[in-house]
Amino acid sequence: MIQDIITIIHDYWLLLLIGQYPNGPLGGLANTIILSLLAILLAFPVSILLALARLSKWRALRWPVTGLVYVTRGVPLLMLILWCYFLVPLWTGADVPSFLIMLVTLVVYEGAFLSEVVRAGIVSLGQGQMDAARALGHSHLSAMRFVILPQALYNMIPSMISTFVSTIKDTTLGYVINVPDLTFAASQVNNQLFTQPFQVFIILAAVYYVLCWSLTYVANSLERRIARRRAGPRRNARLATEAVPLKTLVEQP
Amino acid sequence: MTGFDLSAILTNSDYRAMLLHGIETTFAIYVGSWLLAMTLAILLLAFRMSPVRIGEPIVKAYISYHRNVPTLVQLMLWYFGIFTLLPQGLANWLTDHNAEAIFAIIGLGLCQAAYFSEDLRSGLRSVSPGQMEAAKALGHGYISALRFVVMPQGVRNALPPLINHSVSLFKNSSLAIVVGASELTHAVKEIENLSFRTFEIYLVGTVLYLFFSLIIMGAGAYLSMRADPARRARA
């Protein structure tokens, strides 16, 4: 069993790492990481806009966005992928690569989830920050830009990393529309070997485990550091525990 | 292809039967894996809090594995991997009894147990130790203090994340399509292939998922409201 696993890694490590890159599209682990990085980077500004719209005082802005966030949260990611797979080529009228379709889906999906994180971050700062900024002569937008968002986003860094981890896990669903990522590469290996599915998929699980575990570890240590910083240098321990509860729920894929 | 026509899907009895069968399988997978997950979560929690030293690291490893490996990969490992390692007799029996749905239930249930167990644990931890001491001072035994004092508060605190994760379990049941279980998403794709009315059938599928998710969320909100002592005292 162990021998088989070592042989598979030895024979196929390049395919699992970059897919068929020089001779075909980039794939494998590299593509998984690029896809999830791009998705989170593009979803981030989207989520801030969505969060500001949900906190806006205009109903015309607040209600449609609230509806959008609820729909995105109530529908399985798989269904969204199927929608994008159908709609994106229809709108653009071109043959869109599955990588781009997956990217669009992830930006919408993670954007909606991240917007809840951003909103929680802004709300948890309290009204006082906004009132003080307005009293000092900031307009609503400039208070957001210079006072509220810098604090809220800093406090959100751990939640952001956990969203990144769930994005990595969500990219596996690209398998359904043949996005050439790590899962796709592993199933290619499985199709070539045919007799050792358990060994192939245990390798796949192990790679994802190492990737996500290390990111979660970073998120947790950052979270402790930020909680300490929010509590301030010379406060007592009771305040430190009060500062912690910005633990926003992040959906698992 | 002609214009938008929802009735072409909804009045066709074949498609209706396929959708109904899909909903049935989705709910079988959802209820089965929810029950498996909750039972396992409670067992894991009990094992973790028991005086057995080995319990803590084992449960930690279990939870860490199931939270850091994508659910889809776990399902694939179960269906494509572990299925082939089973003895022939058992494998044949499973094939005769809808192996796809059974492995979907096992895979999703084991994965979700990790999340449920963490939710319950953080709920219980938020009950201050003074509650247990006070209950004991009033003459409760350990079990009875747990049952009447600590558990009701702990489960109440754990309700919001438990509801969230119950909804995401429902959405994750759509992953069973990858191992070939004939659930709702599978039915939607099948009808799309037969009717070519992609937009209409996707709309039906999306509305169905949204409807059931909102029902689960609503039931959860009702439960939380019922559990809230302040509201109960007023009523």
Side-chain angles (χ1 to χ4, degrees):
Chain A
M1 179 72 84
I2 304 283
Q3 195 57 47
D4 290 343
I5 291 177
I6 293 171
T7 318
I8 294 173
I9 293 176
H10 183 256
D11 292 348
Y12 292 103
W13 65 274
L14 200 61
L15 180 69
L16 290 173
L17 196 62
I18 57 170
Q20 297 159 322
Y21 172 52
N23 313 313
L26 182 69
L29 181 61
N31 216 18
T32 292
I33 292 176
I34 291 173
L35 179 58
S36 30
L37 264 180
L38 276 178
I40 199 90
L41 287 180
L42 293 175
F44 181 57
V46 171
S47 70
I48 292 181
L49 290 181
L50 289 180
L52 290 183
R54 281 201 69 179
L55 292 169
S56 145
K57 52 179 185 270
W58 297 310
R59 278 181 200 163
L61 206 56
R62 199 169 65 220
W63 284 3
V65 173
T66 309
L68 179 81
V69 171
Y70 266 88
V71 168
T72 320
R73 289 182 54 183
V75 172
L77 178 58
L78 202 64
M79 204 70 222
L80 278 184
I81 294 174
L82 292 180
W83 269 115
C84 288
Y85 192 59
F86 165 61
L87 284 181
V88 171
L90 204 69
W91 283 339
T92 55
D95 193 17
V96 185
S98 53
F99 179 88
L100 269 183
I101 292 173
M102 194 62 202
L103 184 60
V104 171
T105 320
L106 283 176
V107 168
V108 172
Y109 190 72
E110 305 298 339
F113 272 101
L114 215 47
S115 83
E116 291 285 273
V117 177
V118 177
R119 196 172 68 106
I122 292 175
V123 170
S124 77
L125 274 184
Q127 187 61 35
Q129 294 284 334
M130 180 53 102
D131 292 343
R134 293 302 293 274
L136 288 172
H138 279 285
S139 71
H140 183 82
L141 270 186
S142 111
M144 265 300 172
R145 161 73 185 78
F146 293 104
V147 179
I148 306 286
L149 279 181
Q151 300 182 67
L153 296 185
Y154 176 74
N155 294 339
M156 274 164 34
I157 293 172
S159 307
M160 217 92 92
I161 298 179
S162 4
T163 312
F164 182 53
V165 173
S166 27
T167 312
I168 292 177
K169 294 194 279 176
D170 286 341
T171 55
T172 53
L173 293 192
Y175 174 79
V176 179
I177 56 169
N178 291 331
V179 177
D181 69 339
L182 182 58
T183 314
F184 185 75
S187 70
Q188 271 181 320
V189 173
N190 182 37
N191 287 342
Q192 281 176 29
L193 288 171
F194 204 68
T195 49
Q196 301 167 329
F198 180 75
Q199 289 86 330
V200 173
F201 286 112
I202 203 84
I203 295 173
L204 180 65
V207 175
Y208 276 116
Y209 180 80
V210 170
L211 189 63
C212 296
W213 184 86
S214 32
L215 280 169
T216 311
Y217 182 81
V218 172
N220 286 340
S221 45
L222 271 176
E223 178 150 31
R224 276 194 297 274
R225 176 181 295 189
I226 289 172
R228 268 205 306 274
R229 206 175 138 156
R230 288 184 86 202
R234 266 183 239 144
R235 307 277 175 78
N236 52 31
R238 193 176 58 82
L239 278 174
T241 51
E242 274 174 6
V244 178
L246 184 82
K247 181 113 182 174
T248 330
L249 283 164
V250 177
E251 192 96 345
Q252 98 271 24
Chain B
M1 200 165 102
T2 48
F4 179 79
D5 183 10
L6 209 53
S7 60
I9 303 278
L10 293 178
T11 55
N12 186 320
S13 59
D14 284 352
Y15 296 160
R16 262 211 319 258
M18 283 160 84
L19 275 177
L20 274 181
H21 179 71
I23 294 173
E24 231 172 77
T25 316
T26 288
F27 268 88
I29 292 175
Y30 176 57
V31 173
S33 50
W34 196 92
L35 290 175
L36 175 64
M38 196 43 102
T39 319
L40 212 69
I42 293 170
L43 289 179
L44 281 172
L45 191 62
F47 192 39
R48 188 172 196 168
M49 302 204 316
S50 76
V52 190
R53 265 275 185 73
I54 192 88
E56 175 101 20
I58 289 181
V59 174
K60 264 189 173 166
Y62 178 93
I63 288 173
S64 175
Y65 168 79
H66 286 91
R67 284 173 63 143
N68 284 314
V69 174
T71 316
L72 185 73
V73 175
Q74 293 176 33
L75 277 180
M76 287 166 116
L77 187 62
W78 275 104
Y79 185 71
F80 299 121
I82 293 175
F83 196 9
T84 55
L85 296 182
L86 294 177
Q88 197 58 44
L90 183 58
N92 285 340
W93 184 86
L94 281 171
T95 316
D96 291 340
H97 291 80
N98 202 352
E100 292 83 14
I102 292 179
F103 276 106
I105 289 176
I106 295 176
L108 289 172
L110 290 187
C111 172
Q112 204 66 30
Y115 289 91
F116 280 172
S117 178
E118 283 292 84
D119 295 343
L120 285 175
R121 191 174 76 106
S122 62
L124 280 186
R125 277 211 316 190
S126 64
V127 180
S128 91
Q131 296 284 332
M132 181 54 113
E133 287 161 18
K136 280 192 172 163
L138 288 172
H140 279 286
Y142 178 75
I143 298 287
S144 122
L146 212 57
R147 160 75 186 77
F148 292 105
V149 180
V150 178
M151 274 303 226
Q153 302 181 59
V155 172
R156 190 163 64 229
N157 295 337
L159 263 182
L162 279 179
I163 293 160
N164 263 334
H165 283 142
S166 296
V167 175
S168 56
L169 176 63
F170 177 68
K171 297 196 296 172
N172 279 348
S173 70
S174 65
L175 295 185
I177 192 182
V178 175
V179 298
S182 55
E183 40 72 85
L184 185 51
T185 317
H186 189 268
V188 165
K189 285 226 69 167
E190 200 117 287
I191 295 172
E192 186 220 338
N193 284 336
L194 289 173
S195 68
F196 297 108
R197 294 192 173 276
T198 314
F199 191 84
E200 289 90 336
I201 185 59
Y202 280 8
L203 196 66
V204 171
T206 306
V207 168
L208 282 174
Y209 269 115
L210 200 57
F211 177 68
F212 292 126
S213 295
L214 288 177
I215 284 188
I216 299 171
M217 285 182 206
Y222 177 73
L223 263 182
S224 315
M225 199 187 77
R226 281 275 308 265
D228 186 0
R231 207 169 272 260
R232 212 159 39 182
R234 241 180 287 139

